[in-house]
Amino acid sequence: MQRGHTRMRITLVQGDITEQEVDAVVNAANSSLLGGGGVDGAIHRRGGPEILAECRRLRASRYGKGLPTGQAVATTAGRLPARWVIHTVGPVYAKSEDRSELLASCYRESLRVAAELGAATVAFPAVSAGIYGWPLDDAARIAVGTVRDTPAPVEEARFVLFSAEVHAAFDRALNG
Ligand code: AR6
């Protein structure tokens, strides 16, 4: 079988992304790559200082001005059960401007990086749906639709949703 031609399985779980036994965990980071609240805070706390050390090296080299919104970059996962963290920067929600393409790009670019790493299982949070204020149903629709439409040599894309409410929104987006 040719790589990239297997169909990616999309799964949903309610839980904490830092506990997932997957190859790669996606982090809803900010451009600084130096940490924050929400998923980002949890990943750095649980993963330990190795992740931040690698993020600092990225800031000192390829991403001197920070990681642009919609892009993705990998580091070690430190002490997490995963092997890698793929940091992506979601757009802040704005009523005055449609930033959906940037949000879709987070999922596409994260899958591209996962493919480069050879990750077979990837866990995603609901990017931009917390501190960045994206309305839940729309964030879920963009997340599920983009992952579904992005061909990648990944066996499982697992959305890990922190609350029953977010899980329900992703379930509606996936199963109608
Ligand atoms: N596992 C899974 N989901 C989680 C976890 C967890 N451990 N913790 C929170 N969530 P957010 P954003 C959910 O705010 O909106 C940070 O400060 C949360 O309930 O983490 O993209 C960054 O540094 C929500 O559904 O990310 C940026 O500055 C979803 O994850 C900014 O927040 C995303 O919420 C990024 O904001």
Side-chain angles (χ1 to χ4, degrees):
M1 193 167 16
Q2 255 181 292
R3 272 169 75 79
H5 288 232
T6 15
R7 197 156 169 80
M8 187 167 30
R9 198 153 44 92
I10 299 179
T11 57
L12 306 183
V13 302
Q14 190 185 327
D16 183 337
I17 205 165
T18 65
E19 293 171 1
Q20 303 300 308
E21 301 202 351
V22 287
D23 295 324
V25 161
V26 174
N27 180 20
N30 61 63
S31 286
S32 82
L33 291 176
L34 302 178
V39 189
D40 196 11
I43 285 176
H44 281 282
R45 236 178 356 259
R46 293 284 299 269
E50 295 88 350
I51 301 175
L52 187 58
E54 218 175 305
C55 286
R56 286 194 201 283
R57 285 197 288 276
L58 285 168
R59 287 300 309 276
S61 55
R62 199 168 147 202
Y63 295 106
K65 291 182 183 160
L67 181 66
T69 304
Q71 294 191 25
V73 68
T75 66
T76 174
R79 299 168 199 167
L80 296 179
R83 291 177 66 185
W84 300 286
V85 173
I86 299 172
H87 306 265
T88 190
V89 182
V92 176
Y93 180 73
K95 267 194 177 144
S96 56
E97 190 185 33
D98 183 5
R99 298 179 178 164
S100 308
E101 254 316 299
L102 286 168
L103 184 54
S105 173
C106 288
Y107 291 98
R108 274 196 297 269
E109 287 299 302
S110 295
L111 284 170
R112 188 183 59 71
V113 171
E116 267 173 27
L117 295 167
T121 50
V122 184
F124 289 94
V127 179
S128 290
I131 294 166
Y132 282 179
W134 209 286
L136 202 45
D137 282 302
D138 201 46
R141 180 184 61 79
I142 293 166
V144 169
T146 305
V147 169
R148 199 185 253 152
D149 292 347
T150 304
V154 167
E155 286 166 22
E156 181 189 358
R158 184 185 306 171
F159 288 104
V160 182
L161 299 321
F162 211 39
S163 68
E165 188 196 3
V166 185
H167 185 274
F170 274 70
D171 190 45
R172 285 191 292 276
L174 185 62
N175 301 311

